[in-house]
Amino acid sequence: MTAIARPLAPAAPRARRAGWVLTDAITITWRNLMQVVRNPQLAVIDTITPIMFVLLFAFVFGGAIQVPGGNYVDYLMPGIFVQTVVFGATGTAIGLAEDLQKGLIDRFRSLPMAGSAVLVGRTFSDTLRNLYTVLVMTVVGYLIGFRFHGSPVDAVLAIGLVIGFAYAIAWLSANIGLRAKSAQAAQGAIFIPIFPLTFASSAFVPVQTMPSWLRPIAQANPVTVVVNAARGLVEGNPDPHTVIAAAAWIAGIIVVFAPLALLRYRRRA
Amino acid sequence: MSQPAILTHDLRKAYGPVQALRGIDLTVPEGTILGLLGPNGAGKTTAVRILATLLVPDAGHASVAGHDVVQEPDVVRSLIGLTGQYAAVDENLTGRENLELVGRLLHLDRRDVRARGEELLREFDLVDAAGRPVRTYSGGMRRRLDLAASLVGRPAVLFLDEPTTGLDPRSRVGLWEVIERLVADGTTILLTTQYLEEADRLADRIAVIDGGQVIAEGTSDELKDRLGEDVVEIRIADTARGPEAAELLRPLAAVEPRLDREHGRISVPVHHGAGTLAEVVRRIDGAGLEVAELSLHRPSLDDVFLTLTGRRAEADPDDTTSSPAPRRRRFGRPDRRIAA
Ligand SMILES: Nc1ncnc2c1ncn2[C@@H]1O[C@H](COP(=O)(O)OP(=O)(O)O)[C@@H](O)[C@H]1O
Ligand SMILES: [Mg+2]
């Protein structure tokens, strides 16, 4: 066998390793996205699911909701956006649990790569997929009458909040994936926080229509905050306080859950 | 530098109440292969995971090329290759892409990544399948690719955790040949196995591990010598009289003969097999017992395991339905079958 072995050599100097987080995260992102390339049905699902959500929610709920003076599609779209990306972010838990189960994480952990890159790459690639679904939903929304009524900056900000929230939830999801015993367990576990989070919110119905005990909870729900902020931006009358609150929630979730996930990943147990 | 490539001292690890390792000492000199032989649950994977920096021990020390696995995990990672118990390859990537993934994560130059991948694909006979997603690969191909992936960085020290478990005999022999070439090339290897034949064939030294402890260590021949040079194996037609026959043969044995009551089979480790054989037959005949089967073979590692632990090695995890008795036959390789 030609030159398989190598003498016991010292490792790379520490200085070179700082840049590895980025290059390794790009490598991992490439690897994760190849999953979609190699399974075209995943791309189909990524396309059909958002179309289905938009059409179902718009036409099923649309008639039932009284939106004072507004277009119900405009009202619903930010809710559909957020709900869809939050569901999409559950893929992070499932993907990580699968990689753990198949021993791929062991392989990554035994390499002299940047440990954080596996999680950074995973949350990033899953968020890219979520960005794609948001773009699909926007196109479908436009076909059924949805419009951004604010400035282009407002529109970009609205999408930015939605994607930022998707990224934050991906980190929450990573924590569940890293603790699950199997991909199936991860799938079950991730929906325990996700369902109440998305439905006890202003995503589809105004919080005022909820029972009084639920109202304060729904009002404080980060999904409500992000949906309300995006809704304001879509309608062209953004509330700066809500937008800041939404951004704060996104940052807060990342600040808490990203280090927790990284610690868990690095834990050698 | 004469420091061992792999060194562990009093390595301990518990999972809750389960004591997986109870103080393991191992020394593997550079360029040699140590076979860590033990049944399911012995602690082999735990030891490998500690050495591969995936797990921190509760107590004791482990080092690779003098670098402590707990204190300097990054240095250790740059020196080792790991092939786990299950093929850790990405199903969605092609064989070539899997090797490139590892090469990129090892921060090799782009050109080196390519070249190294092609070299390994050739070496592991995967060129034809290199462009296919791994989910189309057979079990043997996955294992070869997994091993290739652990070699991308030209590791000085390689950990192979049951590399051939679950493979068909042909793939197994193919993988053995690859491992033999790796050792010839100077790689230090720690190989865990449940297959006695595998350790016998590949390892320079064998550490027999059971219940988280090394219960014997030495070369294959050293371990066999503990049993004498040969084993006379005799089956009595009237199984009920097995204990009587075993008693008759005890004075001839180098160490305690073993009796398989159910089958009337007695294994007698002896020092001069050919010379003792006639005496064995004379004694059995003299007692009016009928010999159903008689053979003489070199002690197998399974014989060693039985002597050391009083139990048979759980040789095949996929084969839990078969009773232990017939299973052992695969390790006893009779040199000369004398009567039937
Ligand atoms: N993650 C774990 N949690 C609890 N017990 C474990 C875990 N991993 C291994 N064990 C137990 O530790 C012992 C040694 O396991 P292992 O090192 O996998 O043995 P081997 O690889 O020799 O089969 C076994 O009893 C096994 O059940
Ligand atoms: Mg094991």
Side-chain angles (χ1 to χ4, degrees):
Chain A
M1 180 161 291
T2 44
I4 293 297
R6 151 190 90 171
L8 299 176
R14 218 157 248 290
R16 270 184 52 203
R17 312 226 316 266
W20 288 359
V21 177
L22 193 66
T23 53
D24 291 354
I26 291 169
T27 302
I28 295 289
T29 302
W30 162 77
R31 176 250 158 180
N32 292 344
L33 292 178
M34 284 307 285
Q35 190 190 6
V36 185
V37 175
R38 287 288 143 70
N39 298 284
Q41 69 272 29
L42 281 181
V44 173
I45 291 168
D46 278 2
T47 309
I48 296 216
T49 308
I51 295 175
M52 196 180 66
F53 274 150
V54 169
L55 297 181
L56 277 178
F57 282 113
F59 291 121
V60 174
F61 288 166
I65 295 161
Q66 311 300 316
V67 189
N71 173 348
Y72 67 81
V73 177
D74 290 340
Y75 178 84
L76 268 182
M77 279 306 285
I80 299 170
F81 281 158
V82 173
Q83 187 257 7
T84 307
V85 299
V86 167
F87 275 39
T90 62
T92 304
I94 297 158
L96 278 174
E98 223 165 61
D99 286 351
L100 270 173
Q101 210 177 352
K102 292 195 171 152
L104 275 161
I105 300 277
D106 278 350
R107 160 137 292 146
F108 294 146
R109 275 202 269 231
S110 74
L111 293 174
M113 61 180 286
S116 55
V118 172
L119 299 184
V120 172
R122 167 64 67 180
T123 49
F124 182 66
S125 58
D126 288 342
T127 304
L128 279 183
R129 283 175 70 179
N130 256 331
L131 178 61
Y132 170 75
T133 62
V134 167
L135 296 180
V136 171
M137 285 188 287
T138 308
V139 170
V140 177
Y142 259 73
L143 295 178
I144 60 167
F146 166 70
R147 293 291 179 271
F148 286 104
H149 296 281
S151 67
V153 174
D154 287 343
V156 169
L157 217 53
I159 300 291
L161 283 180
V162 169
I163 291 303
F165 193 63
Y167 185 63
I169 297 298
W171 279 107
L172 170 98
S173 191
N175 280 277
I176 289 171
L178 288 172
R179 284 168 176 80
K181 294 264 182 286
S182 69
Q184 261 177 323
Q187 183 150 29
I190 183 66
F191 278 102
I192 293 171
I194 290 305
F195 265 117
L197 208 58
T198 47
F199 288 103
S201 78
S202 67
F204 304 113
V205 292
V207 170
Q208 292 71 32
T209 64
M210 295 178 188
S212 57
W213 61 269
L214 188 57
R215 245 174 270 159
I217 298 169
Q219 206 71 60
N221 184 344
V223 171
T224 299
V225 178
V226 173
V227 168
N228 289 351
R231 209 165 258 160
L233 288 161
V234 162
E235 285 164 353
N237 56 346
D239 170 27
H241 291 296
T242 313
V243 171
I244 288 166
W249 264 111
I250 290 164
I253 292 170
I254 295 172
V255 163
V256 171
F257 288 104
L260 269 180
L262 290 169
L263 273 178
R264 179 74 189 192
Y265 182 89
R266 291 218 174 87
R267 206 179 69 134
R268 294 191 271 158
Chain B
M1 254 195 306
S2 59
Q3 73 187 350
I6 302 169
L7 186 68
T8 76
H9 175 62
D10 198 28
L11 213 53
R12 289 168 191 275
K13 178 74 193 176
Y15 302 101
V18 181
Q19 299 280 335
L21 297 183
R22 302 165 191 262
I24 299 272
D25 295 297
L26 298 172
T27 306
V28 189
E30 203 178 325
T32 68
I33 172 162
L34 176 79
L36 196 57
L37 172 67
N40 232 341
K44 304 181 295 297
T45 298
T46 303
V48 165
R49 289 179 67 82
I50 290 172
L51 284 163
T53 77
L54 301 179
L55 199 61
V56 172
D58 298 338
H61 294 282
S63 63
V64 172
H67 298 282
D68 190 287
V69 298
V70 177
Q71 305 300 325
E72 303 174 87
D74 286 329
V75 180
V76 171
R77 284 170 191 155
S78 68
L79 295 170
I80 63 166
L82 170 66
T83 296
Q85 204 168 335
Y86 307 97
V89 284
D90 189 321
E91 302 270 304
N92 295 305
L93 301 183
T94 65
R96 180 177 284 118
E97 286 165 348
N98 264 285
L99 298 183
E100 286 177 9
L101 172 66
V102 174
R104 284 165 68 171
L105 293 174
L106 283 164
H107 316 105
L108 304 181
D109 288 343
R110 198 166 273 274
R111 213 175 319 126
D112 288 351
V113 170
R114 276 255 139 187
R116 184 67 180 147
E118 296 308 319
E119 185 182 7
L120 286 165
L121 288 168
R122 274 196 304 278
E123 199 67 59
F124 286 83
D125 196 20
L126 290 166
V127 173
D128 292 339
R132 274 180 13 217
V134 169
R135 57 169 181 260
T136 66
Y137 283 26
S138 69
M141 291 163 77
R142 277 164 208 244
R143 286 298 183 96
R144 291 210 300 278
L145 180 65
D146 192 34
L147 183 52
S150 67
L151 294 173
V152 171
R154 294 189 164 82
V157 177
L158 189 60
F159 298 106
L160 303 176
D161 195 6
E162 301 197 24
T164 67
T165 298
L167 288 189
D168 60 87
R170 214 177 121 255
S171 310
R172 175 168 302 156
V173 172
L175 215 64
W176 285 350
E177 285 164 4
V178 170
I179 294 168
E180 278 164 347
R181 275 182 283 154
L182 286 172
V183 182
D185 199 48
T187 309
T188 306
I189 298 181
L190 190 151
L191 164 110
T192 83
T193 182
Q194 299 190 43
Y195 298 108
L196 310 162
E197 192 189 353
E198 185 163 286
D200 196 5
R201 168 158 174 179
L202 295 175
D204 294 308
R205 294 183 71 78
I206 296 170
V208 184
I209 175 175
D210 186 45
Q213 279 174 315
V214 176
I215 55 172
E217 221 239 301
T219 63
S220 177
D221 282 338
E222 280 167 9
L223 293 178
K224 286 174 181 175
D225 281 349
R226 293 195 179 185
L227 272 183
E229 288 144 33
D230 293 293
V231 176
V232 175
E233 200 162 276
I234 185 164
R235 190 160 66 79
I236 305 298
D238 182 359
T239 54
R241 297 182 67 186
E244 182 192 333
E247 201 52 46
L248 278 172
L249 299 177
R250 169 166 297 154
L252 304 175
V255 297
E256 186 69 17
R258 291 190 315 268
L259 169 66
D260 172 356
R261 284 169 189 275
E262 193 187 338
H263 300 90
R265 198 189 307 276
I266 306 154
S267 299
V268 192
V270 296
H271 278 303
H272 302 287
T276 321
L277 206 53
E279 180 62 15
V280 168
V281 175
R282 207 184 59 75
R283 286 185 180 229
I284 297 295
D285 263 353
L289 286 158
E290 195 192 328
V291 176
E293 211 179 298
L294 180 66
S295 69
L296 182 67
H297 63 81
R298 290 284 294 154
S300 70
L301 287 166
D302 201 27
D303 292 317
V304 175
F305 200 85
L306 265 163
T307 303
L308 293 169
T309 67
R311 290 185 292 109
R312 296 182 190 285
E314 297 289 328
D316 194 344
D318 315 321
D319 189 24
T320 45
T321 47
S322 67
S323 66
R327 188 188 295 171
R328 76 173 306 270
R329 302 289 314 162
R330 55 203 276 196
F331 299 116
R333 280 165 290 169
D335 294 331
R336 286 150 284 177
R337 185 154 290 253
I338 291 146

